């Protein structure tokens, strides 16, 4: 009976590990999608400006200014930024929904 118990415990450990791996994979995919969305937003805003390199870069969701593109890139890769960006993105969606509702009301 002891062998069956050990086998059951090993299977439970594998199941838990599989769940953690799936969560990590989902989180990585979500982070990658958010980065791509942010990159598109960042690129489109910088393309609309002139061809010259700006004096400073701004992260709107974190409300931070940077003196170089390298600093901005490092910031965008940070865990703190990614967390704020997720929250900011959700807030933007809520605001858009509210504005749409207001526009529909006579």
């Amino acid at each position: 009976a002891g062998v069956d118990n050990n086998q059951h415990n090993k299977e439970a450990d594998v199941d838990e590990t599989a769940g953690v791996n799936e969560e990590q994979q989902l989180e990585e995919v979500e982070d990658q999608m958010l980065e791509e969305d942010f990159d598109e937003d960042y690129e489109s805003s910088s393309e609309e400006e002139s061809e010259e390199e700006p004096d400073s870069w701004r992260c709107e969701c974190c409300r931070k200014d940077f003196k170089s593109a390298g600093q901005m890139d490092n910031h965008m890769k940070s865990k703190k930024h990614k967390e704020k960006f997720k929250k900011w993105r959700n807030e933007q969606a809520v605001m858009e929904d509210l504005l749409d509702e207001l526009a529909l009301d006579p």
Side-chain angles (χ1 to χ4, degrees), residues 50-100:
S50 67
E51 293 288 325
E52 295 176 21
E53 198 167 284
D55 292 333
S56 65
W57 286 257
R58 180 154 180 86
C59 174
E60 289 298 327
C61 63
C62 295
R63 297 180 179 175
K64 288 190 172 194
D65 295 311
F66 301 94
K67 293 182 180 181
S68 72
Q71 288 177 337
M72 178 73 167
D73 289 340
N74 286 337
H75 167 73
M76 289 178 12
K77 293 174 185 173
S78 73
K79 183 177 181 179
K80 208 174 208 182
H81 165 77
K82 289 176 183 180
E83 289 171 1
K84 282 191 176 185
F85 184 71
K86 284 180 189 179
K87 184 178 177 183
W88 181 78
R89 194 69 183 217
N90 289 336
E91 289 171 355
Q92 294 297 314
V94 168
M95 290 298 287
E96 285 180 24
D97 290 345
L98 289 172
L99 289 172
D100 288 345

Side-chain angles (χ1 to χ4, degrees), residues 6-17:
N6 286 338
Q7 183 64 30
H8 175 72
N9 288 342
K10 286 180 184 176
E11 289 174 4
D13 288 344
V14 169
D15 288 345
E16 287 177 17
T17 303

Side-chain angles (χ1 to χ4, degrees), residues 41-54:
D41 293 344
Y42 176 66
E43 288 171 9
S44 65
S45 67
S46 61
E47 286 174 9
E48 291 169 5
E49 297 171 7
S50 67
E51 293 288 325
E52 295 176 21
E53 198 167 284

